[in-house]
Amino acid sequence: MSDFSQWPLRAELLEALTSQGMTVPTPIQQAALADILAGRDVLAQAKTGSGKTLAFALGLLQGLKSPSGVQALVLCPTRELADQVTQAIRKVAVRLPNVKVSAFYGGIPVRVHVESLVHEPAIVVGTPGRILELIETGALKLEAMNTLVLDEADRMLDMGFEPAIQAIRKGLPANYQTLLFSATFPDAVRALSKSYQRDPLEILLDTDTRSEHIEQLFFEVPANRKNDALLQLLGQLQPAQALVFCNTKIDCQNVEQHLAKAGFDVCALHGDLEQRDRDEAMVRFQNASVRVLVATDVAARGLDVSNLPLVFSYELAHQADVHVHRVGRTGRAGKDGQALALVASGEMARVKAIEEQMGMTARWQRLDLSSIKLAPLKAEWKTLVIDAGRKDKLRPGDILGALTAKQAIDGKAVGKIALFDTRSYVALHKSVADRALQLLRQDKIKGRSFRVRLLSP
Ligand code: ADP
Ligand code: MG
């Protein structure tokens, strides 16, 4: 029996949790759910990967009173995170088919969002800037709102969203529940809670950011040998996947190109890319059709990869708490992880700050760069793109059905299917990718033909 049944959750939610194998609440869920469900304000700090999203998603879905009218607003710092939260809510809402959850953020014409709001969602997720814009244009109406969620509050403050959040609050009705989630707990978050929340339940977990599951190692490497060091370490360790953090977009591009040239299946993720390319990079990393993702901290924020064995700092972050976030991307859900950092002589002061913040002494390891042995990480999967998505009423089952009809392709060779409004991404085992492409070009999906192509490599 599911431990989630200790709360009076709707049967549809319990069923969804059970069918997705989520039967044991994480510590933050255990600590917060009763009060979230009771409508109390909650201030919750727990490290990245601890299951904060599900904690508030269950509260929002349980609290819905009617299928229409915006009843909950979730503010997130980045578009990627907004998408991820939206997907997480939809996933647990699968058995509540009439509940619409929508994401709104910049980079997409406001007009598109205004039009989509004609059919009001029950739950709105978005970045503060765009949400404010939609309130101001009158497209987003929040009179029926019961719950405000501030997700990754620490990061929203870092990104300067406080004035936008403040302005959004001015347009909200008098009484609503405020749920505030944060991975860290600096004074600014405490102050935010003080001014926005009424007698909140405070939950502070893992104030100790060390994790026994994560092995952290530092390598002193001259700045001009970092690319070689990266090739050497990835080749030696052969991780299933790795997330490489850079401090700048330029570094991201250079490192990606360097790895691609060496034969790695790799993608870059940073703020200079078009939204579409950012989506694609995320999807390809999540469906394992790239083995290495090279990203800036902001772009990788909220990226949820449950089984990430290795994170890399190509350069140490300038702030210790950013480093802590990087390290927290691995070793999630009790799995083992490694966090490696390449440190040039100019970065030594940052090591000190990290040691202080994390309450540990850095473990240094030697790296022999006299000869570089190339062993590029190649993916076993490819990504196929279909130029049609949710707006075309496409569902994952339609795509799977078209591929596996008449046993053309073994269902096991079809991986993750990710649906966006106007595009869909399908992971395919390399051995069947070309066949799948031909198949979808010849035959149709639900009787309609769409443009399809494979992403290189
Ligand atoms: P956070 O927001 O705290 O960083 P997330 O909410 O993104 O963490 O959760 C991290 C991962 O843990 C997600 O993949 C989520 O599906 C998974 N997860 C959350 N709660 C549970 C649970 N009770 N049992 C199993 N997996 C869970
Ligand atoms: Mg989160």
Side-chain angles (χ1 to χ4, degrees):
M1 192 159 117
S2 163
D3 287 353
F4 280 96
S5 55
Q6 66 187 286
W7 298 291
L9 289 167
R10 294 177 178 203
E12 295 94 328
L13 295 174
L14 280 175
E15 282 162 23
L17 289 170
T18 307
S19 73
Q20 289 159 23
M22 297 202 275
T23 48
V24 183
T26 64
I28 189 74
Q29 292 158 4
Q30 187 65 46
L33 254 167
D35 286 78
I36 290 178
L37 294 172
R40 183 173 172 189
D41 283 1
V42 172
L43 164 62
Q45 175 271 328
K47 67 172 185 236
T48 303
S50 52
K52 297 189 285 293
T53 318
L54 184 64
F56 67 76
L58 288 171
L60 301 184
L61 291 165
Q62 177 79 9
L64 293 180
K65 296 200 173 60
S66 65
S68 68
V70 180
Q71 293 152 77
L73 173 63
V74 183
L75 297 177
C76 302
T78 66
R79 328 167 186 197
E80 282 77 17
L81 195 61
D83 269 331
Q84 215 133 58
V85 165
T86 306
Q87 279 158 25
I89 300 175
R90 282 185 187 141
K91 203 167 150 201
V92 70
V94 277
R95 313 227 166 178
L96 300 166
N98 294 323
V99 172
K100 189 174 164 194
V101 187
S102 303
F104 301 102
Y105 39 72
I108 288 172
V110 182
R111 173 178 47 79
V112 173
H113 285 162
V114 170
E115 278 164 21
S116 106
L117 277 166
V118 172
H119 302 286
E120 279 196 323
I123 300 176
V124 164
V125 183
T127 51
R130 176 53 59 97
I131 293 293
L132 183 59
E133 223 175 327
L134 291 169
I135 293 173
E136 283 170 347
T137 57
L140 180 58
K141 298 191 185 65
L142 295 168
E143 294 93 59
M145 216 215 39
N146 301 317
T147 308
L148 172 67
V149 178
L150 303 173
D151 193 21
E152 311 252 4
D154 49 353
R155 194 53 46 170
M156 287 204 283
L157 292 176
D158 285 351
M159 292 173 70
F161 280 135
E162 156 112 80
I165 298 171
Q166 184 61 35
I168 290 168
R169 288 181 73 247
K170 290 219 170 78
L172 300 183
N175 281 313
Y176 57 89
Q177 177 187 29
T178 303
L179 304 176
L180 202 157
F181 292 87
S182 194
T184 61
F185 196 56
D187 290 345
V189 170
R190 182 176 286 283
L192 192 73
S193 164
K194 255 204 152 60
S195 61
Y196 287 11
Q197 296 191 294
R198 218 176 312 162
D199 180 32
L201 168 74
E202 266 189 35
I203 305 166
L204 308 181
L205 293 180
D206 342 289
T207 36
D208 181 354
T209 42
R210 283 171 298 180
S211 161
E212 309 93 75
H213 304 294
I214 303 174
E215 180 184 37
Q216 215 187 152
L217 297 173
F218 294 76
F219 298 85
E220 187 171 357
V221 178
N224 64 356
R225 300 298 307 277
K226 284 196 173 181
N227 282 334
D228 289 336
L230 190 61
L231 287 182
Q232 189 81 319
L233 283 166
L234 288 174
Q236 274 172 15
L237 296 167
Q238 291 287 311
Q241 286 192 301
L243 177 56
V244 178
F245 285 101
C246 293
N247 290 358
T248 64
K249 296 163 190 170
I250 301 278
D251 274 353
C252 268
Q253 283 161 358
N254 290 341
V255 171
E256 184 219 14
Q257 277 164 21
H258 193 79
L259 290 174
K261 236 195 251 157
F264 284 67
D265 285 339
V266 56
C267 260
L269 178 66
H270 56 76
D272 271 0
L273 297 172
E274 301 279 334
Q275 181 62 36
R276 182 193 177 110
D277 294 325
R278 291 166 73 165
D279 290 343
E280 276 182 15
M282 291 266 230
V283 165
R284 294 173 77 183
F285 193 56
Q286 282 166 328
N287 74 16
S289 66
V290 302
R291 296 270 298 269
V292 183
L293 185 69
V294 187
T296 56
D297 293 284
V298 170
R301 184 80 190 169
L303 171 75
D304 178 22
V305 183
S306 42
N307 251 330
L308 190 55
L310 178 62
V311 295
F312 234 107
S313 284
Y314 183 78
E315 181 187 348
L316 281 180
H318 288 284
Q319 290 158 302
D321 66 321
V322 173
H323 181 81
V324 174
H325 277 293
R326 288 182 179 179
V327 173
R329 321 286 3 209
T330 184
R332 296 184 124 188
K335 298 250 167 51
D336 288 335
Q338 270 190 319
L340 311 185
L342 304 180
V343 186
S345 50
E347 300 166 45
M348 290 301 167
R350 296 179 218 167
V351 178
K352 274 257 154 323
I354 289 166
E355 288 180 322
E356 272 168 31
Q357 169 105 19
M358 302 188 86
M360 53 97 181
T361 316
R363 278 177 63 200
W364 291 92
Q365 234 169 47
R366 290 199 165 280
L367 184 62
D368 181 7
L369 294 174
S370 55
S371 74
I372 305 301
K373 218 172 121 246
L374 264 191
L377 304 178
K378 294 277 190 197
E380 283 178 22
W381 298 84
K382 279 193 163 201
T383 296
L384 180 142
V385 190
I386 304 169
D387 278 347
R390 218 177 279 122
K391 284 212 169 127
D392 308 279
K393 303 257 183 289
L394 216 55
R395 288 159 177 267
D398 303 330
I399 300 171
L400 187 63
L403 288 167
T404 56
K406 303 178 222 144
Q407 276 81 47
I409 285 176
D410 185 349
K412 284 202 219 79
V414 183
K416 278 197 180 155
I417 299 179
L419 255 62
F420 289 76
D421 279 351
T422 57
R423 267 168 297 124
S424 307
Y425 297 91
V426 188
L428 292 160
H429 197 267
K430 271 191 171 156
S431 58
V432 304
D434 289 322
R435 189 138 41 98
L437 184 68
Q438 279 174 2
L439 204 71
L440 293 183
R441 282 193 171 150
Q442 265 159 33
D443 297 358
K444 298 178 173 173
I445 308 174
K446 287 171 80 183
R448 291 180 291 167
S449 344
F450 301 108
R451 274 183 36 159
V452 288
R453 74 205 131 83
L454 286 169
L455 294 178
S456 57

